[in-house]
Amino acid sequence: MAVSPGCKVRVLYDFEGDRPSGELAVYTDEILTVTRTDVGEGWWEGIGPDGSRGLFPEAYVELVEYPAPPFNDLHPIPSAPLHNQGSVDTADGWEDEWDDDETVSNYSGGDQESTVSSLPRRHTNSGMVRTGTVRKSMNRFSHFVKSGGEAYVIGTQQTDVKVPHNERVSIKEDGDRITWCNNPDPFTCEINSPEKKSKFKGMKSFIAYNITPSNTGVVVSRRYKHFDWLFGRLVEKYTSISVPPLPDKQITGRFGEEFVEKRRDKLQQWMNRICLHPVLSQSLVFKHFITCRDNEKEWKQGKRAAENDKLVGASFFMTVDCPPQRLELVQVENRMEQFGRFIKSTDESVRSIQDRGQVHCEKCQGSYRSEYKKIGSTFGSLSAAFAIDLDSQSSQQLTQALEHTAKTYDDIGELIAEQPKNDFLPLIEGLKEYSGMLSTYPDVLQVHKGTIGKVKECQRLKDEEKMEDSTFHEVCLRADTITNVSFAEMSHFHDQKVVDFKSMMQHFLQEQISYHQRVIQRLEESLKMYDNVQV
């Protein structure tokens, strides 16, 4: 719909916005005044009935001038994006006008960074209409429905799509676990040498990052917008795989040396995650991303192939080869419920450590540092007082020992202030990455939850003799495929969790030990000064 600033729009669905992030809380039938439509990522900015200003999803509103749909009171189905940072661009050139950090609002309702990170999927009251033997959900914002999961499970999805051999994905049983088959040719990618470049005779500038895959050794140059495009393709294709989010977009300071290096580091972390994933690392779109050099024709061909890929969303399940063993519905449901609780609890704990660590860092650079320096100052005052009247050698030695003690506590204050960059800050950064990955799992779990619900519905229809046994059997086989994919993804997360948290905690504790050893060393040096005092 053609909407410009100043237009009035009516709210179609309730949206409990996150006010600290600059979002509006809006409710059905409220009238909003649009102030910006160029925020990007499916968001607009507007003013609510109470005068508050903030962001709201474009797909949740309609122009008040729009007539009501005929024959019923259902609103048009909105086209809300499924994930947060992915973008599909119709242009396909190497230097198309889809730019790095242009589609993000500088609006912020609080102290958080001014970025739009996600468009939530809201759930309206779900009506059901019967189509054949299986009821089809009309929940417009169900990730299960919009990804094609429902159509796949009940067998109404297009099935004549050919699956190339290089697109097939294998899952195996590993003891009592279900896991992805490993990448037979694992590799890494190194991102380095970020360079500021320009085009249009210097009118447009951007940062290019050099990527070197270990399996080819051939350097390719990519901008942030290319990473963003890749992210969007991966998110669309793999709805039951956790695709880690990209680092946030940025409006100002994009060319500052510190920002560029920090973004390079975060892009490296993101690239490491993709390379470690047995499925994502072997995807054709990722291979195109890391191997296509500065050949515009080749890039266009690969880009078009990825954007016209038929094996995306639920169609991806057609590419999966699973173990033949049937899975018990009750056991599957219990396992998924347990993993859901694990994700929720882990996310809360990770955020708690981040919050506590941030407070600790602030205290180290503030009150803790100040307290030790004050202690040093008091010992220094006593040393200065003794120095006024040095009537013997032993008195002079004592004064020197006190002076050394004062400096020791002053030094400890500085050590405390410097220590967070060695232990807590790296830990917090690692946990922030995990917070981002954990945030992707609700959609992954929702696909499987929808699958379980559809299987139960088909079970009832079979029991009522409204569905053939053979049809129900096919539904169960397709549901087992989704379950195997979910289980394999869960196993991958746990495997990476063990590696990552072992490394993070080892580094954290080693730095803590090193810090306390330095403090002990300085205290021992001061203690030895008193051994020289002759009594």
Side-chain angles (χ1 to χ4, degrees):
M1 53 184 167
V3 178
S4 58
C7 286
K8 303 289 185 180
V9 293
R10 179 182 291 108
V11 179
L12 301 177
Y13 315 102
D14 291 350
F15 171 58
E16 298 290 345
D18 182 14
R19 291 186 183 277
S21 296
E23 298 172 359
L24 277 179
V26 297
Y27 303 98
T28 304
D29 291 332
E30 284 186 346
I31 302 299
L32 311 179
T33 302
V34 177
T35 56
R36 287 186 62 188
T37 58
D38 59 349
V39 174
E41 303 292 347
W43 292 86
W44 287 350
E45 182 190 74
I47 301 174
D50 60 354
S52 57
R53 179 189 293 263
L55 305 175
F56 59 88
E58 167 192 350
Y60 281 47
V61 298
E62 68 172 0
L63 274 173
V64 293
E65 291 85 1
Y66 273 30
F71 308 118
N72 57 52
D73 60 353
L74 291 178
H75 294 289
I77 296 178
S79 55
L82 291 177
H83 286 263
N84 56 341
Q85 300 177 50
S87 61
V88 179
D89 199 279
T90 55
D92 55 11
W94 184 257
E95 291 298 349
D96 300 327
E97 295 310 305
W98 40 299
D99 293 314
D100 288 34
D101 293 306
E102 292 183 351
T103 58
V104 61
S105 170
N106 62 357
Y107 176 87
S108 177
D111 296 330
Q112 301 184 7
E113 291 185 7
S114 54
T115 58
V116 177
S117 61
S118 65
L119 176 62
R121 274 81 42 206
R122 306 301 301 170
H123 296 278
T124 61
N125 292 330
S126 180
M128 308 291 289
V129 296
R130 187 172 294 278
T131 58
T133 58
V134 183
R135 293 182 298 175
K136 194 170 184 181
S137 170
M138 294 302 292
N139 186 342
R140 293 173 173 81
F141 286 90
S142 167
H143 188 58
F144 175 59
V145 175
K146 291 182 74 65
S147 66
E150 180 182 68
Y152 171 77
V153 172
I154 64 179
T156 60
Q157 186 187 46
Q158 182 181 359
T159 57
D160 60 350
V161 179
K162 293 183 179 180
V163 180
H165 177 73
N166 60 354
E167 286 265 34
R168 298 217 67 85
V169 175
S170 297
I171 292 175
K172 64 180 180 179
E173 289 182 290
D174 185 9
D176 58 350
R177 306 170 78 220
I178 293 176
T179 66
W180 298 112
C181 289
N182 295 328
N183 185 345
D185 300 305
F187 61 92
T188 60
C189 289
E190 183 179 354
I191 302 178
N192 52 33
S193 304
E195 181 183 0
K196 184 178 180 180
K197 297 183 177 181
S198 61
K199 60 181 182 178
F200 303 139
K201 297 182 178 181
M203 294 180 63
K204 182 177 285 290
S205 299
F206 56 89
I207 300 295
Y209 300 86
N210 289 332
I211 304 173
T212 309
S214 62
N215 57 347
T216 66
V218 177
V219 179
V220 298
S221 179
R222 296 289 181 265
R223 294 167 58 178
Y224 180 87
K225 71 173 185 180
H226 299 132
F227 283 92
D228 193 44
W229 173 82
L230 172 64
F231 174 84
R233 303 274 54 79
L234 294 175
V235 164
E236 182 182 20
K237 184 173 180 69
Y238 302 107
T239 56
S240 287
I241 291 178
S242 170
V243 180
L246 280 172
D248 289 331
K249 294 184 178 182
Q250 182 92 354
I251 294 179
T252 59
R254 288 187 289 132
F255 303 117
E257 185 176 338
E258 183 178 353
F259 170 78
V260 170
E261 178 55 30
K262 186 175 182 180
R263 171 173 277 186
R264 186 209 63 80
D265 184 61
K266 289 186 177 298
L267 288 174
Q268 181 69 68
Q269 290 179 359
W270 187 82
M271 184 65 76
N272 292 343
R273 292 291 172 197
I274 305 301
C275 290
L276 285 170
H277 197 285
V279 177
L280 301 180
S281 62
Q282 298 185 78
S283 65
L284 297 183
V285 64
F286 182 61
K287 290 179 180 178
H288 173 66
F289 179 81
I290 62 174
T291 59
C292 180
R293 304 191 71 181
D294 295 342
N295 184 318
E296 186 171 358
K297 182 178 179 181
E298 182 183 346
W299 174 261
K300 286 182 178 181
Q301 290 174 344
K303 186 171 183 283
R304 286 172 180 163
E307 292 172 355
N308 293 323
D309 187 1
K310 302 299 183 184
L311 298 171
V312 301
S315 296
F316 163 71
F317 299 124
M318 298 166 57
T319 72
V320 180
D321 297 322
C322 300
Q325 182 179 354
R326 284 294 311 278
L327 303 173
E328 294 295 328
L329 184 61
V330 174
Q331 295 179 0
V332 168
E333 200 168 8
N334 289 339
R335 179 71 185 90
M336 294 302 296
E337 192 274 335
Q338 181 184 31
F339 186 75
R341 286 189 287 109
F342 158 76
I343 288 294
K344 183 176 185 297
S345 180
T346 301
D347 184 47
E348 292 172 351
S349 299
V350 163
R351 292 180 185 278
S352 178
I353 297 174
Q354 290 180 61
D355 293 342
R356 179 46 49 194
Q358 191 63 45
V359 171
H360 177 78
C361 291
E362 292 171 358
K363 288 183 177 180
C364 284
Q365 296 171 346
S367 60
Y368 292 166
R369 173 181 180 274
S370 176
E371 187 62 26
Y372 272 87
K373 294 182 83 67
K374 286 179 180 178
I375 292 173
S377 178
T378 58
F379 286 131
S381 296
L382 181 60
S383 171
F386 284 2
I388 294 175
D389 188 11
L390 299 175
D391 67 341
S392 66
Q393 184 178 2
S394 59
S395 180
Q396 183 177 1
Q397 292 168 342
L398 176 62
T399 300
Q400 291 173 345
L402 281 169
E403 184 179 358
H404 192 280
T405 302
K407 187 176 186 309
T408 293
Y409 274 87
D410 189 79
D411 290 345
I412 291 174
E414 293 301 327
L415 284 176
I416 291 174
E418 292 292 321
Q419 185 57 25
K421 71 179 182 182
N422 300 321
D423 49 30
F424 263 102
L425 289 181
L427 179 63
I428 289 172
E429 285 301 312
L431 294 178
K432 283 182 179 178
E433 184 189 11
Y434 257 82
S435 290
M437 291 190 292
L438 289 166
S439 71
T440 68
Y441 276 93
D443 280 343
V444 173
L445 295 174
Q446 190 188 81
V447 170
H448 195 274
K449 184 177 180 180
T451 301
I452 294 295
K454 197 56 59 179
V455 171
K456 288 181 175 180
E457 182 183 336
C458 292
Q459 176 72 61
R460 289 194 299 270
L461 291 172
K462 184 179 82 73
D463 293 343
E464 296 169 0
E465 298 183 348
K466 296 180 179 179
M467 176 177 282
E468 297 291 335
D469 289 350
S470 60
T471 302
F472 178 68
H473 177 71
E474 293 295 326
V475 168
C476 290
L477 289 179
R478 288 189 288 267
D480 282 350
T481 298
I482 296 179
T483 296
N484 276 289
V485 169
S486 300
F487 280 8
E489 189 62 14
M490 289 155 54
S491 296
H492 178 73
F493 179 85
H494 280 299
D495 290 342
Q496 291 302 306
K497 172 202 68 180
V498 172
V499 173
D500 294 336
F501 276 83
K502 175 185 176 181
S503 176
M504 283 192 291
M505 292 309 301
Q506 283 180 329
H507 179 271
F508 175 77
L509 292 173
Q510 287 167 352
E511 290 296 334
Q512 283 272 294
I513 291 169
S514 176
Y515 157 70
H516 286 290
Q517 285 175 338
R518 293 197 300 274
V519 171
I520 290 172
Q521 179 183 355
R522 281 166 170 74
L523 291 173
E524 287 178 339
E525 290 172 356
S526 289
L527 178 61
K528 287 180 181 179
M529 294 289 293
Y530 293 92
D531 293 337
N532 298 327
V533 177
Q534 298 177 358
V535 179

